[in-house]
Amino acid sequence: MRSHEKRVNVCPRTQGKYLVSVVSAVVFAFAPLFGTLLFSTDTVAVAAESQAVAQVGNATYASVQEAFGRTTLKNTTVTLLADVTESVTIMPPKGVRNVTFDLNGHVLQADGSGGAAGFAAITVPANMQLTIVGPGTVTGGTQPAVDCRGALRVESGTFTSDATLMRFAETDETSAQGSFSGGTFTAPTLFNLLDDAKNLGYVTVRGGEYRGMIPAGLNTLALLSGSFSDTSNLAPYLADSLGLIPGGTSGDGTGDGMFHVGDLAISSKQTSVELDPASGLQRLSDDDLLALTGTQLNGIADYRLVADSDQLQALNDQIDRAMQAVGKRKAFEAVSQNITITAVRNTSDEDFMDADASRGAGIQLRTSDHDGISAQVAVTIKAVAEPEEPEEPGKPSNPEKPEKPEMPRSGSAVQALAIISLLLVIASAICVYATVHLRSPRLHN
């Protein structure tokens, strides 16, 4: 009995040790598994964060396309966070029509997996406006960097393609527009039409470097400023008073191979004109003054020339006085009026998208970096002399008193005097003879 009891007392201890050993073994066996699971969870979290390629506000997204879809009226800027290969179509939520893409120093490369039928790196649909800022790069590879049916504004960045760099389309339903104020653009062909386009749209270059060829026949392309490597077709796109200026030298002393386009300007064929009241006068409108002086703006579609209203009114007041003086036959002294003619925008940038819904993206984007350029012309109105009073009808004139004739002093006059003297002598002799004969009978008697 004692031995049996002893066994009974010993067994629980042995079993406890056994259970502890088993539990320890299980814990140690599962510990690596839990560690692996925990490590995997951390890895997934880090991987998820590392996959963020774009940002809107404080939110990050795994694709640029998704980020554009999450823009709002308060947060319309998509910022690129990493280099990414993706073809993006600008499709923000309903109500958002104007977005900005900040390249933030990174690269967006077109997804070429579609082969020849692939998409451009960026596609701008009709009724959408995209503004691109840099630094950063958009590269199309075998595809264009940008296809545009809406409105594209490029302020900076680098754009490259192995084919056509940017394509635009004006159709019956839409009108693409482009405005380039900065950046570097490199491709065999810089601008061209989309396949279904009737025209390019309205594309204006007002800054940046362009390394490549521009095709002929893009009649709605305007070159206002910028530097170009290929000048073969540029002449038709230059504004009237703009020209190409060969570039300077690079750091090694050689030419940079670029040609630079001059800036905007107002030119007047006649900076000074003269009006003659005797030939008839009429009040002048802005258009009349522009035509009279031959003042033109060098081909900027979104600008118009406006004369200073106060100065033009002052000139018209003088024209009125000159006409009244002519009508009343009174004198009018010559006057001269200087008039400032300024280039002003047709509409503001805020009206850009809503100016003309029927044309898709609205007004043309032909704008200048230098607003407020002006020229001055001088208009002179000639003097009018007061006419002499006409003589009243029926009133006798006052003839001038005849001057006493001077005695002739010529040789013929002397002869006449001699003849007269001779005749007087003869007359005297006759009188003497007659007197003598009349007295003789009396003496005889």
Side-chain angles (χ1 to χ4, degrees), residues 154-174:
V154 177
E155 297 180 3
S156 56
T158 300
F159 301 81
T160 66
S161 174
D162 297 333
T164 298
L165 184 64
M166 296 189 180
R167 300 186 299 182
F168 297 85
E170 181 180 50
T171 64
D172 292 336
E173 293 79 22
T174 65

Side-chain angles (χ1 to χ4, degrees), residues 24 35 40 66 100 123 151 163 174 200 207 218 242-243 259 266-267 276 306 333 355-356 404 424 428 431 433:
S24 298
S40 298
E66 182 183 6
T100 298
T123 299
T174 65
L200 182 72
L218 305 179
L242 297 182
F259 289 82
I266 298 176
S267 61
D276 188 354
V306 177
E333 295 183 0
D356 187 359
K404 294 181 180 180
L424 289 174
S428 298
C431 289
Y433 177 79

Side-chain angles (χ1 to χ4, degrees), residues 21-41:
S21 300
V22 171
V23 170
S24 298
V26 170
V27 169
F28 281 109
F30 279 95
L33 179 61
F34 283 120
T36 301
L37 290 175
L38 290 173
F39 179 78
S40 298
T41 303

Side-chain angles (χ1 to χ4, degrees), residues 47-71:
E49 184 160 347
S50 65
Q51 289 175 356
V53 298
Q55 180 176 345
V56 177
N58 295 324
T60 58
Y61 302 94
S63 75
V64 181
Q65 185 69 63
E66 182 183 6
F68 275 108
R70 298 300 181 90
T71 55

